[in-house]
Amino acid sequence: QVQMVESGGGLVQSGGSLRLSCAASGQLLSWFDKGWFRQSPGKEREFVGSISRNGGSTRLADSVKGRFTISRDNAKGMVYLQMNSLKPEDTGVYFCAVRTSVSSAFGSWGQGTQVTVSS
């Protein structure tokens, strides 16, 4: 079963930037969009943003609009999350997942990558 693999997390000071990458462990024959989620200690996992396969349309959570951008490279099978102006509240484990259709749930979750923003 294909799983997503996240990378690029780390420790950064408030106001800094990080770029997360997401790759599939195998070949995805078809997918509708890929999403980024995050989970902080004691909190539920929350949606950060997503990008569609066709057209590259993006959605972003209100909390990250203007600071985060999502991009993709279909030829490489990669999806990226560029995070700028990071805040301590952005700290958490960031996950990547994929939907095979607009009506399906996100799945093929990766292990996540830790992002820590110090104040």
Side-chain angles (χ1 to χ4, degrees):
Q1 183 177 356
V2 175
Q3 283 191 306
M4 310 312 290
V5 180
E6 306 90 345
S7 61
L11 173 64
V12 64
Q13 288 188 334
S14 181
S17 298
L18 281 174
R19 188 196 194 203
L20 305 184
S21 299
C22 171
S25 62
Q27 186 177 8
L28 282 173
L29 296 179
S30 66
W31 56 277
F32 176 74
D33 62 358
K34 293 178 180 176
W36 284 100
F37 297 77
R38 67 186 181 190
Q39 187 166 21
S40 303
K43 295 184 179 180
E44 293 187 354
R45 185 167 57 196
E46 64 174 345
F47 173 80
V48 174
S50 65
I51 187 166
S52 67
R53 179 178 187 175
N54 297 321
S57 61
T58 60
R59 292 189 298 141
L60 288 167
D62 288 343
S63 59
V64 305
K65 281 181 181 177
R67 300 188 298 121
F68 292 10
T69 57
I70 297 178
S71 60
R72 74 189 187 334
D73 184 334
N74 285 349
K76 295 182 178 179
M78 299 294 294
V79 172
Y80 307 98
L81 180 66
Q82 178 67 44
M83 306 186 294
N84 299 326
S85 302
L86 283 162
K87 304 175 182 180
E89 51 262 44
D90 294 318
T91 294
V93 179
Y94 283 68
F95 300 89
C96 179
V98 62
R99 284 196 300 179
T100 56
S101 71
V102 66
S103 58
S104 67
F106 278 99
S108 301
W109 295 92
Q111 295 297 310
T113 185
Q114 176 71 46
V115 172
T116 303
V117 184
S118 63
S119 57

